[in-house]
Amino acid sequence: MPQIVIENLFNLKINSVSVPRKVIEIIHENGIDWMHACGKKGRCTTCKIILKSGEENLSPPTKPELDFLQQGRLRTGERLACQTELLSGEIVVRVGNINKFPHIKYSE
């Protein structure tokens, strides 16, 4: 079953019964707050995920992601949760320090 593991949320595991699906949709549908200042339109980088493993289970980078990489607003291994689709398998991600919410307790 396709799965997202959020490493610095105490290895929280989120299963998805239907794919392909945008990573942020799967996270939000499971009641987890995830920053997205531009309304999931790929215009900012507040929803970025730091990908630790499972890149092969994701859709290829979109034009906004490639543009942000070129501008230095995303680094290698970072993706936009609003643009990236989970296709199969498992991905392990982290919330970036700058994108953490103050009301959520994170692990390290």
Side-chain angles (χ1 to χ4, degrees):
M1 174 176 292
Q3 183 176 70
I4 299 169
V5 178
I6 306 173
E7 202 174 60
N8 58 348
L9 278 178
F10 302 93
N11 289 308
L12 178 68
K13 293 180 173 137
I14 305 168
N15 294 317
S16 179
V17 292
S18 81
V19 287
R21 304 274 317 287
K22 292 195 175 175
V23 169
I24 200 163
E25 292 171 354
I26 298 167
I27 290 170
H28 282 164
E29 287 171 2
N30 282 275
I32 295 121
D33 281 343
W34 200 274
M35 196 175 290
H36 61 288
C38 73
K40 305 178 196 172
K41 294 181 175 42
R43 296 182 184 153
C44 69
T45 60
T46 60
C47 73
K48 79 176 173 185
I49 56 176
I50 300 168
L51 188 62
K52 302 307 282 180
S53 66
E55 181 178 2
E56 68 279 3
N57 297 320
L58 298 174
S59 59
T62 62
K63 182 173 181 344
E65 289 177 297
L66 294 172
D67 290 346
F68 286 131
L69 273 167
Q70 187 176 37
Q71 296 165 11
R73 293 181 62 192
L74 284 179
R75 296 180 190 151
T76 302
E78 295 178 343
R79 300 286 305 269
L80 297 180
C82 74
Q83 298 291 298
T84 306
E85 290 186 330
L86 178 61
L87 304 175
S88 65
E90 179 183 274
I91 62 169
V92 178
V93 302
R94 292 182 63 80
V95 181
N97 287 334
I98 197 164
N99 304 98
K100 290 179 178 177
F101 282 120
H103 67 278
I104 296 177
K105 182 175 176 158
Y106 296 91
S107 60
E108 290 309 315

